[in-house]
Amino acid sequence: MERIGKYQVRSMLGQGGMGAVMLAYDPDLDREVAIKLIMPHRLGSPQTRERFLREARALARLSDPHVVQVHAFEPEADPPYLVMERLHGEDLKSLVRRSGPLPPAMLRDCAWQCVRGLAAAHAAGIVHRDLKPSNVMLCRGGVYKLLDFGLAASHDGDLTASGEVVGTRRYIAPERMAGDSSSPAADLWALGVLICELATGRHPFPHSSLAPDPQALPPEPPDLRVWVQRLIELDPQQRPKDAGEALRLLGGGSAAVVVEPHQTAALPTAGVGSTSSGSRAVVTSTHRPVQGVSSASLALPRPRLPFWLKLTAAIWLVSSIGTVAAGYAITERAVATQLANLHRTLVGIAVGGAQLVDPVQHRQMADDPVSHAAELAELRLRLARYASAFPEIRFIYTMAPLPETPATGVVQFVCDASAEVDLDGNGVIAAREAQARPGQRYSAKGVPELVSGFTVPGHDTGLTTDDWGVWISGYAPLLLPDGTSAGLLGVDIPADHIAGLRRDFLWHSAILLGSTLAAFLAAGLIIAWRMRRPVAELSRGMLAVANGDLAVEVVVRSNDEFGVLALAFRRMRDELRRAAQLRAAFDGFVTRALAEREGRIGRAASEGARLAVAVHGSQETAVAALLEAARSHGGEPERVEAGGMCLLFPSAHDGDLPQERAVRCALA
């Protein structure tokens, strides 16, 4: 295992301005540390080494929660190295790249903590000189720490040769680019640029402009925008002289708590005070945190079916209904089209067959079939040969009208060329299986298309039922030279053929429909399975946060709407985490402050405390909640005035802290 001095090197953490940073283990103190190796070519002359040693010692003396802590420095090692605290978190460059610009509350908190860390460095006479997002880390607990003081310089001189400009060009102040020495004002310039980029992702001075880009400044809060404008003034004399002054200009951070004396007078807007003194401690400028919720109250019932399964069923059901409806409509339209084609085919076959019949001869055969038996036989043979070319044709025949046909609809057969087939298989050709005799009557009263077929080609619009079965027929007239009708030629197709067409089409449609539904089911499964993990992650995270777990992480590796929701969740969780930290800090601060106050004023302060609250308008619900909170903390209403009330929290025993109970009542 590689060692640096007494430290056991575990891995490489990254590259810094002065060298490499390694993760190592300190066996003496049983802790992990970060070791920064200083490259020899960065040290230069012995005077530079001595100056760097002085700066390292200055950094080691810094004791601020917003500056990385230096544990040790070994200037005589080869190469020299710094031993620093091991940080757990993410630098701001990576954070913004992953999550986007910081929200206003988080941005102000970041600015306040960074300028506080700079104030500690400036007070120790150290200028950072390389402040940028990658040198600021957001650590556990919402603490921002300044890193990489490898390019740091003292107020009275740099560690570089004369005229050399060090740092990252994007964050170097204008006066340093012009050759001036480093100063705290230059650090403030870099901090202003950094805040702009965290807020909007833009540099305030694009393309070396002399005026800041308004779109690059933080849009809110307004006081932070004005403060950043002051930091990025081109003239360093117009900026705060150092980070301490910038900190005072910025005011309190997100956890600002100010306790100051306030004389007893008429009912104040809000105040907590001891009943035994002419003055009281007023808690102002506090950020109201959210109240905790019992995890027992958030025990949610588990769904009977998982979300992905319900989504799959919903997608498949909706797509199935639509597909079946569309498939039925398409099938019916296709069947209607096939039927229309069949009608045209029947008429065409009938017209073709009519060309084989001599109308004059047909009239003679109709009038005297016995005398024209030979002609009938020849015509029957011609028509049979013609019908054999169309397997779907069951009957082919000719008919002639009778004088009573217009009134009765009765016509007569002339030549039936249909094949005699034993349809029932009993070995006997029954009447319905035999050919019609010449002159045999046929009632067409219910078939108006047949009657009109003596003059114009046509077809049955529906199925026709007669002694021979159920059919659909086509007709072609046999016209004499004078235009009168000598008869017609008819062809019949069994209804079973039409049913077979419909059945075949429905079968193919069913196969296509089944394939489509299977595809929809597969698509639904893919979509639902794709959504399963993000939905489960977001649900788990929301429930964990609702139950008070603000350290939960939600992993959604996508750039779609779920990625946006995960980003919004992380921001919400971070806001709640900061609120919880603020509440804990406030509780601890107030507890310590009031305990110290109780210790100072002794028995005189133990008589009790008062909480004054302003009530604006009709606030019955708020007043009821306030009284309930007062009772739960041992308080009671002392007096009520227009626009407010005063609650008394008497001291219950020696050592009781009524002021703390009053403050906790206000929080509740």
Side-chain angles (χ1 to χ4, degrees):
M1 181 181 295
E2 185 181 353
R3 304 179 69 91
I4 299 178
K6 67 175 182 178
Y7 304 99
Q8 301 170 1
V9 177
R10 291 185 171 176
S11 64
M12 169 74 77
L13 291 178
Q15 297 289 331
M18 298 293 289
V21 181
M22 317 292 291
L23 174 64
Y25 173 70
D26 183 349
D28 292 345
L29 298 178
D30 189 24
R31 64 179 178 183
E32 287 186 335
V33 295
I35 296 182
K36 186 169 187 178
L37 302 175
I38 312 301
M39 297 296 101
H41 71 273
R42 299 291 299 175
L43 293 177
S45 65
Q47 292 81 4
T48 303
R49 178 186 290 268
E50 179 61 28
R51 189 177 303 162
F52 184 80
L53 175 59
R54 186 170 66 249
E55 300 304 331
R57 288 170 176 167
L59 282 175
R61 288 196 301 270
L62 281 179
S63 179
D64 188 88
H66 305 295
V67 175
V68 61
Q69 186 65 46
V70 175
H71 297 321
F73 177 55
E74 295 295 337
E76 302 303 327
D78 186 20
Y81 61 87
L82 279 169
V83 182
M84 302 174 292
E85 64 175 313
R86 166 73 163 112
L87 299 180
H88 297 275
E90 183 177 18
D91 66 80
L92 295 187
K93 182 178 180 180
S94 301
L95 175 65
V96 172
R97 182 182 299 160
R98 176 176 58 83
S99 302
L102 303 186
M106 188 176 181
L107 185 68
R108 181 183 177 87
D109 187 31
C110 173
W112 186 80
Q113 295 193 44
C114 288
V115 76
R116 180 174 171 180
L118 273 182
H122 290 174
I126 300 172
V127 180
H128 191 286
R129 298 204 306 173
D130 196 23
L131 191 62
K132 55 186 177 182
S134 59
N135 283 341
V136 180
M137 179 174 283
L138 175 57
C139 304
R140 292 175 180 173
V143 177
Y144 295 84
K145 286 182 177 284
L146 305 183
L147 312 178
D148 201 353
F149 280 80
L151 298 182
S154 62
H155 292 187
D156 58 356
D158 291 351
L159 299 180
T160 56
S162 176
E164 182 182 0
V165 178
V166 295
T168 303
R169 183 180 182 87
R170 187 177 181 86
Y171 306 95
I172 296 178
E175 66 272 14
R176 287 188 59 205
M177 295 299 295
D180 291 350
S181 60
S182 301
S183 68
D187 275 351
L188 296 181
W189 163 278
L191 178 61
V193 174
L194 181 149
I195 296 300
C196 289
E197 293 189 339
L198 295 181
T200 64
R202 299 185 180 189
H203 194 284
F205 291 92
H207 312 299
S208 302
S209 171
L210 296 180
D213 178 9
Q215 299 299 321
L217 297 174
E220 54 179 329
D223 62 329
L224 182 63
R225 181 185 179 92
V226 173
W227 183 75
V228 170
Q229 284 180 303
R230 180 79 180 275
L231 296 189
I232 58 175
E233 289 284 351
L234 294 177
D235 183 1
Q237 300 300 321
Q238 300 300 318
R239 302 176 210 149
K241 65 178 182 179
D242 57 20
E245 181 179 344
L247 182 60
R248 290 190 293 273
L249 291 175
L250 180 60
S254 63
V257 179
V258 180
V259 180
E260 58 187 4
H262 187 81
Q263 294 298 321
T264 305
L267 220 57
T269 300
V272 179
S274 170
T275 63
S276 63
S277 174
S279 65
R280 57 169 165 250
V282 178
V283 181
T284 61
S285 303
T286 60
H287 180 93
R288 181 174 179 83
V290 296
Q291 295 297 320
V293 182
S294 169
S295 60
S297 65
L298 293 172
L300 302 179
R302 294 181 61 86
R304 295 182 179 179
L305 292 175
F307 169 81
W308 68 270
L309 189 58
K310 290 187 287 187
L311 180 61
T312 301
I315 293 175
W316 188 79
L317 181 61
V318 172
S319 60
S320 297
I321 293 174
T323 302
V324 169
Y328 178 80
I330 293 173
T331 300
E332 289 300 311
R333 180 58 182 268
V335 169
T337 301
Q338 290 286 348
L339 193 58
N341 292 335
L342 181 61
H343 289 156
R344 288 192 293 270
T345 300
L346 283 173
V347 173
I349 293 174
V351 171
Q355 305 302 314
L356 303 176
V357 182
D358 183 353
V360 175
Q361 189 181 58
H362 189 269
R363 168 67 66 84
Q364 296 171 352
M365 288 186 291
D367 293 339
D368 188 6
V370 175
S371 301
H372 297 83
E375 291 86 351
L376 278 171
E378 182 182 355
L379 177 60
R380 186 178 293 112
L381 183 61
R382 282 201 306 270
L383 294 179
R385 285 200 299 267
Y386 176 75
S388 65
F390 306 99
E392 65 271 22
I393 298 298
R394 174 68 180 84
F395 294 122
I396 183 169
Y397 50 85
T398 64
M399 288 182 170
L402 296 172
E404 66 268 27
T405 295
T408 63
V410 176
V411 298
Q412 65 174 343
F413 282 97
V414 177
C415 179
D416 185 1
S418 306
E420 295 184 340
V421 179
D422 183 10
L423 298 177
D424 54 14
N426 61 0
V428 178
I429 301 298
R432 62 183 297 268
E433 300 169 343
Q435 293 178 340
R437 302 182 306 277
Q440 182 176 336
R441 297 295 195 266
Y442 181 86
S443 177
K445 189 173 184 180
V447 191
E449 296 86 0
L450 188 152
V451 177
S452 63
F454 287 105
T455 55
V456 293
H459 59 81
D460 294 342
T461 56
L463 296 177
T464 299
T465 303
D466 56 22
D467 293 341
W468 285 272
V470 183
W471 319 95
I472 185 169
S473 307
Y475 311 103
L478 304 175
L479 299 178
L480 296 170
D482 61 357
T484 59
S485 177
L488 62 78
L489 183 139
V491 290
D492 298 344
I493 292 179
D496 292 341
H497 178 78
I498 300 174
L501 287 176
R502 178 186 291 271
R503 185 169 54 252
D504 290 342
F505 195 89
L506 289 176
W507 173 248
H508 289 92
S509 297
I511 295 176
L512 179 61
L513 182 62
S515 301
T516 304
L517 293 180
F520 275 123
L521 179 60
L525 280 171
I526 293 173
I527 294 173
W529 193 257
R530 167 67 182 82
M531 298 172 65
R532 177 188 63 87
R533 176 63 182 272
V535 169
E537 278 289 296
L538 289 169
S539 300
R540 180 184 63 82
M542 291 295 292
L543 188 58
V545 168
N547 284 328
D549 179 9
L550 299 182
V552 63
E553 289 292 340
V554 170
V555 180
V556 176
R557 296 184 176 91
S558 63
N559 294 322
D560 54 12
E561 288 79 3
F562 287 108
V564 175
L565 287 175
L567 174 60
F569 170 83
R570 285 192 289 268
R571 289 185 175 179
M572 177 197 72
R573 179 207 59 193
D574 292 341
E575 289 291 336
L576 292 175
R577 183 185 295 171
R578 282 188 289 276
Q581 292 166 354
L582 176 58
R583 179 188 175 93
F586 179 82
D587 285 348
F589 174 85
V590 171
T591 300
R592 291 192 302 272
L594 295 182
E596 292 171 0
R597 178 178 175 84
E598 291 292 332
R600 289 196 305 271
I601 65 177
R603 178 65 182 175
S606 64
E607 297 176 2
R610 287 187 174 88
L611 172 66
V613 182
V615 180
H616 303 284
S618 178
Q619 299 286 341
E620 291 83 357
T621 303
V623 170
L626 178 61
L627 293 177
E628 177 64 27
R631 283 192 292 270
S632 65
H633 290 83
E636 57 189 27
E638 183 181 44
R639 72 177 187 276
V640 178
E641 298 178 359
M645 68 169 57
C646 184
L647 300 174
L648 174 64
F649 293 81
S651 179
H653 52 78
D654 289 341
D656 188 15
L657 298 176
Q659 288 181 320
E660 180 180 353
R661 288 193 282 114
V663 170
R664 293 188 180 277
C665 172
L667 285 175

